Amino acid sequence: MADNGNAKPGSGGSGAYTINLENFSKRLKVFYDHWKEHNSDLWGSSDTIAIATPPPSEDLRYLKSSALHVWLLGYEFPETIIVFMHKQIHILCSQKKANLIGALKKAANDAVGADIILHVKAKNNDGVGLMDDIMRAVCAQSKSGDPVVGHIAKEAPEGKLLEAWAEKLSGSSVQLTDITNGFSELFAVKDASEITCVKKAAYLTSSVMKNFVVPKLEKVIDEERKVTHSSLMDDTEKAILDPLKVKVKLKAENVDICYPPVFQSGGKFDLKPGASSNDDHLYYDSASVIICAIGSRYGNYCSNIARTFLIDATPTQSKVYETLLKAHEAAIEALKPGNRMSAVYQAAVKMIGKNAPELLPNLTKSAGTGIGLEFRESGLNLNHKNDRLIKEGMVFNVSLGLHNLQAETKSEKTKQYSLLLADTCLVPLEILTAPCSKLLKDVAYSFNDEDEVLPVKKVEVNAKEALPPTKATLRSDNQEMSKEELRRQHQAELARQKNEETARRLAGVGSGSGDGRGNSRSSNELVAYKNVNDVPYARELVIQVDQKNEAVLLPIYGTMVPFHVSTVKSVTSHQDNRTCTIRIFFNVPGMPFSNDSNLKSQGAIYLKEITFRSKDPRHSSEVVQQIKTLRRQVASRESERAERATLVTQEKLQLASNRNKPVRLSDVWIRPAFGGRGRKLTGTLESHVNGFRYSTSRSDERVDIMYGNIKHAFFQPAEKEMITLLHFHLHNHIMVGNKKTKDVQFYVEVMDVVQTLGGNRRSALDPDEIEEEQRERDRKNRINMDFQNFVNKVNDHWSQPQFKGMDLEFDIPLRELGFHGVPYKASAFIIPTSTCLVELIENPFLVVTLGEIEIVNLERVGFGTKNFDMAIVFKDFKKDVLRIDSIPSTSLDAIKEWLDTTDLKYYESRLNLNWRPILKTIIDDPQKFIDDGGWEFLNMEASDSETEETEESDKGYEPSDAEPESESEDDDSDSESLVESDEDDEDDEEQDSEEEKGKTWEELEREASNADRENGVESDSEEERRRRKVKTFSKSRPPPERSSFKGGPSKNFNKGGPSKKPKFR
């Protein structure tokens, strides 16, 4: 007896089972209500319904009687007769079954008011006497003298018991009527638990096809092995019956095949549902076709999938396949509630008639059938005659094929071929077997005489190094773009989005924040991929983040399942000694304060939490950082539209009650420290209802931090630092003592500063030294664990519904992405987090919110220097540009990669720019900035390529050491240069030209030396010599005029007078 979710093992030991009373009551009532409502049209006006199940059999068979048992009771009860009447339910069965069914008496009476009467048949008894008792009860309850008994007419009686029952019915005065249509309609619409079983079955089916059949075929073709269709069938059947082989975690005892897997090739094709695999060898020469169809069951619920694989297909074959694919997708699109079932087949016919009408005679006569407890549910055929309505909750096997097609080949095994596609689909539109692609590029194999793979451009998510080409390979497995090329393409797209966003914001229309993706949407409108075929192909089963489609792809049961990032509530990671654990929590609709109460499908399945373990901590950290970054970007679109500029009045702290004791972190220091004289004291940080409170033993040293005022919260454990800390970056300033601050930090020193008296160095093998190091490690681990426990408890508190809008969560800096730089006056180690760029050890602290960054300009790049600088331009152009200087050039590639993964547009320049006049000009004349291409004036690559084309139409800004000085009409002009310069008082070009006209370089050098001697100066510096040489050189080659933003500053760059051309240090 198979378990479909309605039944479960009981507590009476192994082999003891119970029936799910809740499901039994619910479905019994549904059955009786349906019988009463549709008695005349579907149930043959029956007074009684008699169902008899045959003895067990090893053959695969689908019977309505068995389906009723599984649907109602959770098991199939062989050799059992159930007679349903309005007030009684008579059951003839063995003693063992009677013990199990006897527990249903109260549930049946409560549900439909019917009493269950058991007729227990002894082993050696033929049961005829018990049948007479049942027939008398049937006649007694009938209002007329001749009761109408409904039965399943197509099921022939098997075994002595059923044959005796059939004779009893036919020999009595009752009228028999067929009730097959009634059960067909009853089973058509699935409830939530049935849909779960179908989805599990479909997931197993698609996983076997994707993770077993396809790799198996690839290996056979690659190694040119000879295997028979029947051997492939056997291997595939074993994979279905052992789900762990395809990395699907389903219990093997609940799994079975729907039919023996079907493999066909070599010109012999049968597209009928009852087709079988023969003993011929798999044929995979040029222009050959391989059809594979497999079906699996979970809890007796069926699913099906069929795919056609093309080997070095001809253009005609490819075109025909694409036509069939369009027709199949059109048929699936027509599976909408309210449509007639005939509309599904008509949609396929219309699509083929539009694209290739000559193929209509080859089209199968049906587009599939309903599927569930039976592989082909009667009455739910998707053909042109069936006018029954499609309802939500129905499940269909949409199967469409083209048979007896002719190929332009000479081989008898490829001259005639067929194509078949099938998917299991749930209404409303959900393709349950979608993980296994059916696109032409994913099912077409190609190889040639040189064993070279035909290249087809495709960008893969998290692509690894390309595998060496084999003789036969999927067209989708091809040459991959380099990481730098992918980054360049992504940055080009970011540049376009950034310029559009900036233009909207400057025009007063845009959001002023966010990532340029538009307004936030409700969860019902969230679409990561419009079509299942848009899901990127993944070569490895690892967690991946699709930044473009705002999706997180998770490997679940052997396939990549996409989730829109807005469905992710939070993600955490915890690293043990050898493994890293990632926990992802999802927003579950229907929870308090949720906007998802109006669901599209009340029977949908939602995932609440999922956990992954990885042995690659670096990849785990990157994935967590990417998910958090993308999630924050999407979740904060609406909240970031208008930054809270005004000071928020601090609400009053609500202290935790005695019952709910506050979470405490003891003996921590605070920064900034309280003022005043006297010895500094440690204090205790407590988490209360709506905020934190830090206090010391002194009554006047107390700080309250409201949750609503926290913009970012960080937890940084001690690794290579001396302190473990919690840091809060606030929306609005608060007072700590007499200091006004937006950053409050609580920390503990993990190591004591110890000075050895005497100054003698101790041996590394000194037992005391070893013991002291061990104590320090233990102390550090203990402190880190205390902070971690505090953070976990606070995160749990923040997960409550009242804090949902605040989007609070402790962020952990990612040390592996950190780099050294000088943000203020001293060098520091700057570390990215999922939402910020921070430096939390040295004072003053650095906290830069990534969502507030407009662009990043990497300066002094390309001169072969050891360091470069980073200029961060904020969306608020009135805010000063943040500079991080002296970053080692070895960190350049890592910083570029980090900026790209966080969707931040970056540019590179060879010199430092003076940003104040640039931003002032943008604010003064935003329209000109937009018209001139926005930030593209910083694009050094575009500048180089365009400058080479023509000087007059130069649209790139290419600074260099030999740049000539600009003309100036007014020496007293206070306009600033675009590039910082140490020479602020240069003579204008006109004066220089009169002085130096017609003189050679030697004459100029001689005059300069004489002038120096007269002034008492020994010689010119190298800088001055170079400058004069540049000036002289510029007389014969005047610089071209440039646009203000695309090609550098124009003469009218600043209001109030002409400006100088850029000057360089």
Side-chain angles (χ1 to χ4, degrees):
M1 293 186 291
D3 176 9
N4 77 328
N6 296 352
K8 56 187 178 181
S11 59
S14 61
Y17 289 87
T18 59
I19 297 174
N20 189 319
L21 295 179
E22 182 181 355
N23 271 359
F24 171 76
S25 299
K26 180 177 66 175
R27 292 181 180 177
L28 184 65
K29 189 174 189 313
V30 170
F31 170 38
Y32 268 74
D33 290 345
H34 194 275
W35 180 18
K36 181 178 180 181
E37 183 179 354
H38 302 281
N39 193 9
S40 58
D41 54 337
L42 295 175
W43 298 96
S45 301
S46 59
D47 302 315
T48 301
I49 294 176
I51 304 297
T53 51
S57 172
E58 294 297 327
D59 297 332
L60 280 171
R61 59 184 183 182
Y62 296 97
L63 303 173
K64 281 279 191 295
S65 57
S66 300
L68 176 64
H69 281 210
V70 174
W71 181 78
L72 189 61
L73 304 173
Y75 308 104
E76 178 184 354
F77 288 81
E79 292 190 293
T80 301
I81 299 172
I82 304 179
V83 178
F84 296 94
M85 295 183 284
H86 295 294
K87 296 299 181 180
Q88 292 178 344
I89 301 175
H90 291 261
I91 302 177
L92 191 156
C93 61
S94 64
Q95 181 63 56
K96 186 177 180 180
K97 297 166 189 170
N99 294 338
L100 192 60
I101 297 175
L104 306 177
K105 290 184 177 181
K106 184 178 185 304
N109 192 274
D110 293 342
V112 296
D115 297 325
I116 292 181
I117 301 174
L118 296 175
H119 303 267
V120 180
K121 183 180 79 67
K123 279 189 176 181
N124 299 324
N125 190 349
D126 58 3
V128 174
L130 299 175
M131 295 178 192
D132 291 336
D133 295 339
I134 295 175
M135 293 305 299
R136 282 194 292 269
V138 169
C139 295
Q141 282 209 1
S142 174
K143 296 180 180 179
S144 60
D146 299 324
V148 179
V149 177
H151 74 130
I152 303 171
K154 292 183 179 180
E155 292 187 8
E158 299 179 27
K160 294 181 180 180
L161 181 68
L162 268 64
E163 288 175 356
W165 174 250
E167 291 177 4
K168 186 68 65 176
L169 287 177
S170 59
S172 64
S173 61
V174 300
Q175 300 179 26
L176 296 178
T177 182
D178 187 19
I179 54 172
T180 302
N181 289 337
F183 281 119
S184 176
E185 183 71 19
L186 178 66
F187 297 152
V189 178
K190 276 69 176 175
D191 60 26
S193 61
E194 291 179 287
I195 291 174
T196 299
C197 289
V198 173
K199 285 186 175 181
K200 289 181 178 180
Y203 180 73
L204 174 61
T205 303
S206 59
S207 297
V208 171
M209 179 68 78
K210 180 180 178 181
N211 300 329
F212 181 81
V213 173
V214 172
K216 182 83 172 178
L217 292 176
E218 289 179 10
K219 188 174 181 180
V220 169
I221 296 173
D222 187 38
E223 298 176 357
E224 300 184 21
R225 290 165 45 196
K226 288 188 176 181
V227 297
T228 62
H229 298 140
S230 56
S231 65
L232 288 172
M233 174 194 72
D234 294 336
D235 293 342
T236 306
E237 181 175 335
K238 292 177 183 177
I240 295 175
L241 298 177
D242 187 4
L244 291 178
K245 283 187 176 181
V246 289
K247 300 178 182 179
V248 175
K249 296 179 181 179
L250 294 176
K251 293 181 179 180
E253 59 266 26
N254 292 336
V255 170
D256 199 356
I257 59 172
C258 290
Y259 55 88
V262 178
F263 289 86
Q264 302 178 78
S265 66
K268 298 179 181 179
F269 299 98
D270 183 2
L271 303 187
K272 296 178 181 178
S276 60
S277 302
N278 57 30
D279 292 327
D280 294 347
H281 286 99
L282 185 71
Y283 190 80
Y284 46 83
D285 281 359
S286 181
S288 60
V289 171
I290 301 173
I291 290 180
C292 175
I294 58 177
S296 66
R297 294 193 292 174
Y298 180 84
N300 289 291
Y301 284 84
C302 301
S303 65
N304 185 55
I305 189 173
R307 293 290 183 263
T308 300
F309 301 99
L310 308 177
I311 310 300
D312 202 10
T314 65
T316 302
Q317 286 178 321
S318 299
K319 183 179 179 182
V320 171
Y321 180 86
E322 289 185 326
T323 302
L324 176 63
L325 179 60
K326 291 178 181 178
H328 191 249
E329 291 176 343
I332 294 175
E333 286 289 336
L335 281 175
K336 297 178 180 178
N339 283 0
R340 299 192 180 276
M341 295 183 185
S342 57
V344 178
Y345 184 72
Q346 291 167 1
V349 171
K350 182 179 180 181
M351 182 60 68
I352 290 182
K354 177 181 177 181
N355 292 276
E358 68 277 7
L359 297 177
L360 286 175
N362 305 98
L363 185 65
T364 52
K365 302 305 179 184
S366 169
T369 61
I371 192 171
L373 289 168
E374 299 175 278
F375 181 68
R376 296 191 302 276
E377 293 186 334
S378 58
L380 302 182
N381 292 322
L382 301 176
N383 54 35
H384 68 284
K385 298 179 181 179
N386 195 346
D387 289 334
R388 294 177 68 173
L389 295 178
I390 298 173
K391 299 178 182 179
E392 184 174 339
M394 288 184 173
V395 181
F396 291 92
N397 169 32
V398 182
S399 177
L400 203 65
L402 295 169
H403 55 82
N404 299 330
L405 299 168
Q406 301 298 317
E408 301 170 356
T409 61
K410 297 180 180 179
S411 173
E412 290 296 328
K413 291 192 174 184
T414 58
K415 185 175 293 185
Q416 183 169 298
Y417 67 98
S418 299
L419 305 175
L420 179 66
L421 289 174
D423 278 301
T424 304
C425 302
L426 171 65
V427 181
L429 182 60
E430 183 177 356
I431 306 175
L432 303 181
T433 50
C436 186
S437 175
K438 57 190 173 185
L439 293 178
L440 177 62
K441 63 184 179 62
D442 293 324
V443 301
Y445 289 71
S446 178
F447 58 89
N448 53 32
D449 295 337
E450 289 78 20
D451 293 354
E452 293 180 353
V453 181
L454 296 177
V456 181
K457 290 186 177 180
K458 179 178 178 181
V459 179
E460 296 185 2
V461 183
N462 285 3
K464 307 293 182 185
E465 293 183 1
L467 297 175
T470 57
K471 180 172 183 178
T473 185
L474 282 174
R475 284 180 174 168
S476 61
D477 295 339
N478 41 61
Q479 299 174 357
E480 300 170 358
M481 297 183 182
S482 67
K483 185 177 291 188
E484 182 63 31
E485 180 63 24
L486 291 175
R487 194 162 62 201
R488 189 178 293 111
Q489 289 187 3
H490 187 217
Q491 284 292 310
E493 177 64 19
L494 286 178
R496 183 189 64 80
Q497 294 180 6
K498 182 58 63 178
N499 284 330
E500 292 177 357
E501 177 197 333
T502 306
R504 290 196 303 269
R505 190 170 69 252
L506 292 176
V509 178
S511 63
S513 63
D515 53 346
R517 301 184 196 269
N519 296 329
S520 61
R521 299 160 291 174
S522 65
S523 61
N524 283 343
E525 298 173 348
L526 297 174
V527 177
Y529 303 98
K530 294 183 179 179
N531 191 294
V532 68
N533 299 321
D534 296 334
V535 179
Y537 172 80
R539 180 171 297 174
E540 292 187 3
L541 291 175
V542 294
I543 301 176
Q544 300 173 5
V545 180
D546 188 347
Q547 301 278 352
K548 183 176 180 182
N549 293 294
E550 301 178 354
V552 180
L553 291 94
L554 304 179
I556 301 178
Y557 295 138
T559 190
M560 301 303 294
V561 182
F563 295 84
H564 195 280
V565 74
S566 293
T567 64
V568 177
K569 182 179 181 181
S570 64
V571 57
T572 60
S573 65
H574 178 70
Q575 185 172 346
D576 295 326
N577 293 332
R578 296 182 179 179
T579 61
C580 186
T581 302
I582 300 176
R583 297 182 66 190
I584 302 176
F585 300 87
F586 294 89
N587 290 313
V588 180
M591 292 179 62
F593 300 92
S594 173
N595 294 326
D596 297 312
S597 56
N598 297 325
L599 302 178
K600 289 184 178 180
S601 175
Q602 296 295 335
I605 305 300
Y606 294 94
L607 184 63
K608 186 175 182 180
E609 176 186 349
I610 190 168
T611 303
F612 294 90
R613 286 187 178 179
S614 172
K615 293 183 179 179
D616 187 355
R618 179 177 179 84
H619 173 72
S620 302
S621 300
E622 290 177 354
V623 165
V624 171
Q625 184 250 345
Q626 290 175 7
I627 294 175
K628 287 185 176 181
T629 299
L630 185 58
R631 174 180 163 274
R632 293 291 179 89
Q633 288 175 351
V634 175
S636 62
R637 281 181 186 152
E638 295 295 331
S639 61
E640 287 184 359
R641 286 180 180 269
E643 184 183 0
R644 288 185 288 182
T646 59
L647 197 64
V648 177
T649 304
Q650 287 275 10
E651 57 184 317
K652 187 177 180 180
L653 183 68
Q654 300 177 24
L655 299 178
S657 62
N658 294 331
R659 179 179 300 177
N660 300 321
K661 293 183 179 180
V663 183
R664 287 187 173 89
L665 189 62
S666 304
D667 298 326
V668 294
W669 303 91
I670 186 173
R671 289 199 290 185
F674 291 108
R677 298 180 181 180
R679 182 171 173 266
K680 299 296 186 291
L681 300 175
T682 60
T684 300
L685 180 65
E686 298 177 343
S687 172
H688 290 277
V689 176
N690 62 337
F692 293 104
R693 169 165 288 180
Y694 175 80
S695 57
T696 69
S697 58
R698 298 190 180 111
S699 59
D700 59 335
E701 294 184 348
R702 190 173 70 184
V703 175
D704 291 343
I705 303 174
M706 300 298 109
Y707 297 150
N709 194 30
I710 297 175
K711 188 174 184 180
H712 300 292
F714 305 99
F715 164 49
Q716 183 169 324
E719 293 185 16
K720 296 183 179 180
E721 298 85 9
M722 298 289 291
I723 63 173
T724 297
L725 62 88
L726 299 179
H727 189 98
F728 300 102
H729 183 68
L730 309 179
H731 287 288
N732 304 282
H733 291 86
I734 64 171
M735 298 299 294
V736 177
N738 56 359
K739 301 184 182 85
K740 183 179 180 182
T741 181
K742 270 191 175 184
D743 290 278
V744 184
Q745 185 177 111
F746 305 96
Y747 69 97
V748 171
E749 294 178 353
V750 297
M751 294 184 186
D752 296 326
V753 179
V754 178
Q755 183 176 1
T756 304
L757 298 178
N760 295 328
R761 296 187 60 184
R762 300 168 67 177
S763 171
L765 301 177
D766 185 353
D768 293 337
E769 183 75 11
I770 295 174
E771 185 179 353
E772 184 177 333
E773 290 179 356
Q774 183 61 41
R775 283 199 303 268
E776 289 178 349
R777 283 194 294 269
D778 293 342
R779 173 180 165 83
K780 181 175 72 172
N781 293 336
R782 186 180 70 255
I783 292 174
N784 286 344
M785 186 58 65
D786 291 342
F787 273 71
Q788 182 69 64
N789 292 336
F790 180 83
V791 167
N792 291 340
K793 291 177 181 178
V794 173
N795 277 335
D796 292 341
H797 182 58
W798 284 346
S799 64
Q800 296 179 12
Q802 62 265 33
F803 302 114
K804 185 176 181 180
M806 298 182 186
D807 199 18
L808 295 173
E809 184 181 6
F810 276 99
D811 213 348
I812 300 179
L814 305 170
R815 284 193 61 88
E816 58 271 19
L817 301 178
F819 56 90
H820 290 275
V822 183
Y824 299 112
K825 294 182 179 180
S827 179
F829 188 64
I830 303 165
I831 310 176
T833 73
S834 62
T835 57
C836 299
L837 185 65
V838 301
E839 192 286 305
L840 306 175
I841 303 298
E842 302 295 334
N843 232 330
F845 306 120
L846 174 69
V847 179
V848 180
T849 304
L850 301 184
E852 297 175 355
I853 296 177
E854 175 76 5
I855 60 160
V856 174
N857 194 44
L858 306 177
E859 303 178 346
R860 292 196 299 120
V861 175
F863 283 108
T865 57
K866 293 183 179 180
N867 302 308
F868 68 96
D869 305 327
M870 177 190 294
I872 298 175
V873 181
F874 296 98
K875 293 178 179 179
D876 183 2
F877 291 156
K878 295 181 181 180
K879 195 174 181 179
D880 287 339
V881 171
L882 174 67
R883 298 186 58 84
I884 302 176
D885 298 325
S886 301
I887 304 173
S889 296
T890 53
S891 302
L892 180 61
D893 286 340
I895 290 176
K896 287 182 180 179
E897 184 67 23
W898 166 68
L899 291 171
D900 190 63
T901 56
T902 51
D903 284 347
L904 286 176
K905 175 60 185 169
Y906 67 84
Y907 294 93
E908 299 178 47
S909 64
R910 294 169 182 165
L911 295 174
N912 294 108
L913 299 182
N914 189 358
W915 284 97
R916 284 190 178 181
I918 295 177
L919 298 181
K920 184 177 184 301
T921 304
I922 295 174
I923 295 172
D924 291 343
D925 194 354
Q927 189 59 45
K928 182 172 179 58
F929 170 74
I930 296 170
D931 294 342
D932 288 343
W935 294 110
E936 284 305 290
F937 75 94
L938 295 170
N939 192 339
M940 194 165 59
E941 294 180 0
S943 171
D944 292 340
S945 60
E946 292 173 2
T947 303
E948 292 174 359
E949 294 177 3
T950 174
E951 290 184 350
E952 293 298 327
S953 61
D954 186 5
K955 297 182 180 180
Y957 179 54
E958 182 183 7
S960 68
D961 285 338
E963 184 77 20
E965 289 183 4
S966 62
E967 296 180 358
S968 176
E969 298 177 2
D970 186 1
D971 290 340
D972 297 332
S973 173
D974 58 353
S975 61
E976 301 181 57
S977 63
L978 274 179
V979 183
E980 294 175 351
S981 172
D982 294 332
E983 302 170 344
D984 294 331
D985 297 321
E986 293 287 344
D987 295 335
D988 61 33
E989 196 170 0
E990 184 177 346
Q991 292 174 339
D992 288 339
S993 63
E994 292 179 358
E995 205 175 288
E996 303 173 8
K997 185 176 180 180
K999 296 181 181 180
T1000 64
W1001 171 250
E1002 289 76 9
E1003 292 173 338
L1004 291 170
E1005 189 74 9
R1006 198 162 43 246
E1007 289 181 7
S1009 299
N1010 293 335
D1012 288 340
R1013 281 194 292 272
E1014 292 175 2
N1015 295 329
V1017 180
E1018 290 295 326
S1019 64
D1020 287 338
S1021 65
E1022 284 296 321
E1023 179 66 15
E1024 292 174 336
R1025 291 180 184 176
R1026 183 188 61 78
R1027 178 175 53 79
R1028 276 202 292 270
K1029 183 175 180 179
V1030 170
K1031 282 188 176 184
T1032 305
F1033 178 72
S1034 66
K1035 308 311 169 192
S1036 59
R1037 299 184 66 180
E1041 294 184 3
R1042 301 176 186 266
S1043 167
S1044 355
F1045 291 98
K1046 291 186 177 180
S1050 66
K1051 292 183 179 180
N1052 295 323
F1053 187 84
N1054 286 322
K1055 295 182 180 179
S1059 66
K1060 299 180 181 180
K1061 282 285 183 74
K1063 304 173 184 178
F1064 310 125
R1065 290 193 282 193

